[in-house]
Amino acid sequence: MKKFSYILLLILFLMPFTTKAEEKKQEVELIKNATSGLLMEQSTGEIIFEKEKDKQVAVASMTKMVAQTIILEKIESGKIKWTDIVEVSKNAASMGGSQIYLTPGEKMSVEDLFKGISMASANDAVVAMAEYISGSEKGFVKLMNQKVKDLGLKNTHFQNSTGLDEEGHYSSAYDMAIIARNLLMHEEILKFSSVYEDYLREDTENKFWLVNTNKLVRFYEGADGLKTGHTDAAKYCLAATAKKNDMRLIAIVLGEEESKVRNSETMALLDYGFNTKKMTVLKKKNDVIKEIAFDKGNQDKIVIKPKYDVGVLENKQDDDKKYQYDVKINSLSLPLKRGDIVGKISVSDKNRKITTVDLISNTNVEKLSYLELYIETIKNSILGIIN
């Protein structure tokens, strides 16, 4: 009996080490055919797996994730609309590679062009949008490079908006993960990237069938994006995202020799994350953390929400814990834009800080002019007398 007890204790003692050894063995087998890659949990930004994450490589059409981000920002700010009609230039129509076969002078809505970029990875569509927003592709590429600079990325530089091979056009697995994470802040992207098949020019003689280049959205549970890529220099690449049980993962796989191997290794990478990790969500990104009033703004108040879900990434076998969180609001001045960082929310386990998430404004607030403030004062005085 005593011998049995010793054996049982030994087994219980060794179990965690055995699990870790198995995980390490799994990691060695992950994306073994890829040049580089990375697995990240979206809300925390925590890296679960990495391989040559900072290596500068060609990334083909994954480049378009930055173009998509800029387009969505322009739409959200009201500078362009989904219904705007874009006239296609000769230059845009001449783009080779993946395309939706635009013709010079053809007119297409921003929404349909964005659909072509997101599903078919269309080079002609992204150049048409680049010219519409910036007047030229060259001007749009400047915006793209400024965007990656704003994100603090050190291993990315673009020469074009399409991702076609060009000297000095490169990124890395880590940078692509951050770009994907930033793109996913704009939830509308999933409306396009999650669709497997659709049509363009549906009510014309030139009806065009779109099939998503990302096959994972059809064959992998929870997959709803994000962007494929392939050129001679980049080989086969993929930025994939999937969500299960409140946890969204971003998988980046670069430099695969075959598309089937790229897809299978990406799915294995996602499986690894979902099988070994879990998320404890404390606050959803749409939860109201605080309301702040303004007496000199054109809005009475702003609602403050987290930039991402506020949670903790844990090993799946770990017991559930109770966490504490702390909110700190910056000293604010007007004007404020929707999405501006206005504070932080921190999560702690006892006295150990685990993660911090930015808090953002949910709306634009402009500062009232002296005349507007005077009118507002008179109005409030009159209302005060009436009441």
Side-chain angles (χ1 to χ4, degrees), residues 245-273:
N245 301 322
D246 281 332
M247 183 167 72
R248 177 174 290 283
L249 298 180
I250 297 167
I252 306 294
V253 177
L254 305 176
E256 294 275 15
E257 293 288 349
E258 299 176 42
S259 60
K260 286 183 179 179
V261 175
R262 172 198 65 186
N263 293 345
S264 64
E265 292 201 341
T266 303
M267 289 189 284
L269 188 57
L270 289 167
D271 282 344
Y272 174 75

Side-chain angles (χ1 to χ4, degrees), residues 35 48 64 116 129 157 195 277-278 282 285 292 337:
T35 300
I48 299 168
K64 295 185 179 82
M129 281 305 307
H157 186 266
V195 178
K277 301 292 181 180
K278 64 179 179 179
L282 302 175
K285 69 176 182 179
I292 295 182
K337 290 186 294 182

Side-chain angles (χ1 to χ4, degrees), residues 97-165:
S98 301
Q99 55 187 299
I100 53 173
Y101 301 97
L102 296 170
T103 56
E106 181 177 359
K107 295 178 180 179
M108 188 173 281
S109 70
V110 167
E111 183 171 5
D112 280 351
L113 288 169
F114 195 80
K115 192 186 295 183
I117 296 165
S118 303
M119 293 181 65
S121 197
N123 294 328
D124 48 1
V126 78
V127 172
M129 281 305 307
E131 292 174 343
Y132 181 66
I133 289 171
S134 297
S136 68
E137 185 187 13
K138 188 176 180 181
F140 189 77
V141 172
K142 284 183 181 178
L143 291 183
M144 293 173 66
N145 284 320
Q146 185 59 52
K147 172 58 64 178
V148 297
K149 186 178 178 182
D150 292 344
L151 290 172
L153 305 182
K154 307 295 184 186
N155 291 302
T156 299
H157 186 266
F158 299 128
Q159 300 283 24
N160 57 62
S161 63
T162 60
L164 290 170
D165 291 335

Side-chain angles (χ1 to χ4, degrees), residues 19 90 126 152 173 262 284 310 326 383:
T19 304
K90 185 177 179 181
V126 78
R262 172 198 65 186
K284 296 274 191 179
V310 181
D326 179 55
L383 287 172

Side-chain angles (χ1 to χ4, degrees), residues 61-334:
S61 283
M62 286 170 65
T63 297
K64 295 185 179 82
M65 290 194 293
V66 180
Q68 289 171 306
T69 300
I70 292 170
I71 293 167
L72 289 170
E73 286 176 347
K74 296 293 183 186
I75 288 168
E76 289 166 5
S77 67
K79 291 180 179 175
I80 64 173
K81 297 182 180 68
W82 288 117
T83 52
D84 286 356
I85 301 300
V86 178
E87 185 170 342
V88 179
S89 72
K90 185 177 179 181
N91 176 56
S94 70
M95 290 293 120
S98 301
Q99 55 187 299
I100 53 173
Y101 301 97
L102 296 170
T103 56
E106 181 177 359
K107 295 178 180 179
M108 188 173 281
S109 70
V110 167
E111 183 171 5
D112 280 351
L113 288 169
F114 195 80
K115 192 186 295 183
I117 296 165
S118 303
M119 293 181 65
S121 197
N123 294 328
D124 48 1
V126 78
V127 172
M129 281 305 307
E131 292 174 343
Y132 181 66
I133 289 171
S134 297
S136 68
E137 185 187 13
K138 188 176 180 181
F140 189 77
V141 172
K142 284 183 181 178
L143 291 183
M144 293 173 66
N145 284 320
Q146 185 59 52
K147 172 58 64 178
V148 297
K149 186 178 178 182
D150 292 344
L151 290 172
L153 305 182
K154 307 295 184 186
N155 291 302
T156 299
H157 186 266
F158 299 128
Q159 300 283 24
N160 57 62
S161 63
T162 60
L164 290 170
D165 291 335
E166 194 170 342
E167 187 71 31
H169 189 105
Y170 56 83
S171 188
S172 68
Y174 174 78
D175 286 11
M176 279 286 118
I178 297 299
I179 287 165
R181 187 183 184 218
N182 188 65
L183 176 57
L184 284 165
M185 278 186 60
H186 308 277
E187 292 183 358
E188 196 123 24
I189 185 61
L190 298 175
K191 171 184 165 184
F192 296 88
S193 66
S194 63
V195 178
Y196 183 67
E197 59 183 342
D198 205 340
Y199 289 92
L200 293 175
R201 311 181 185 97
E202 195 161 0
D203 299 322
T204 72
E205 294 178 359
N206 299 318
K207 186 175 179 178
F208 186 79
W209 184 35
L210 282 175
V211 179
N212 202 321
T213 55
N214 180 10
K215 307 309 177 192
L216 269 65
V217 300
R218 185 175 184 182
F219 298 112
Y220 188 85
E221 181 189 351
D224 49 8
L226 198 55
K227 194 72 202 70
T228 60
H230 174 249
T231 62
D232 289 343
K235 301 180 183 177
Y236 289 93
C237 307
L238 179 58
T241 185
K243 187 173 184 179
K244 296 180 186 180
N245 301 322
D246 281 332
M247 183 167 72
R248 177 174 290 283
L249 298 180
I250 297 167
I252 306 294
V253 177
L254 305 176
E256 294 275 15
E257 293 288 349
E258 299 176 42
S259 60
K260 286 183 179 179
V261 175
R262 172 198 65 186
N263 293 345
S264 64
E265 292 201 341
T266 303
M267 289 189 284
L269 188 57
L270 289 167
D271 282 344
Y272 174 75
F274 286 120
N275 290 337
T276 60
K277 301 292 181 180
K278 64 179 179 179
M279 272 293 292
T280 297
V281 178
L282 302 175
K283 294 285 182 182
K284 296 274 191 179
K285 69 176 182 179
N286 288 321
D287 288 348
V288 176
I289 302 299
K290 195 167 185 173
E291 292 184 353
I292 295 182
F294 291 102
D295 57 3
K296 294 182 180 180
N298 65 341
Q299 302 286 339
D300 293 333
K301 63 184 178 181
I302 61 167
V303 171
I304 292 174
K305 299 180 178 182
K307 189 173 183 179
Y308 301 102
D309 285 351
V310 181
V312 180
L313 186 66
E314 302 171 311
N315 292 324
K316 208 159 191 178
Q317 70 269 20
D318 289 350
D319 294 331
D320 291 336
K321 296 180 181 179
K322 288 188 177 180
Y323 297 97
Q324 301 79 44
Y325 60 90
D326 179 55
V327 172
K328 289 186 178 176
I329 304 300
N330 302 338
S331 177
L332 302 179
S333 59
L334 298 179

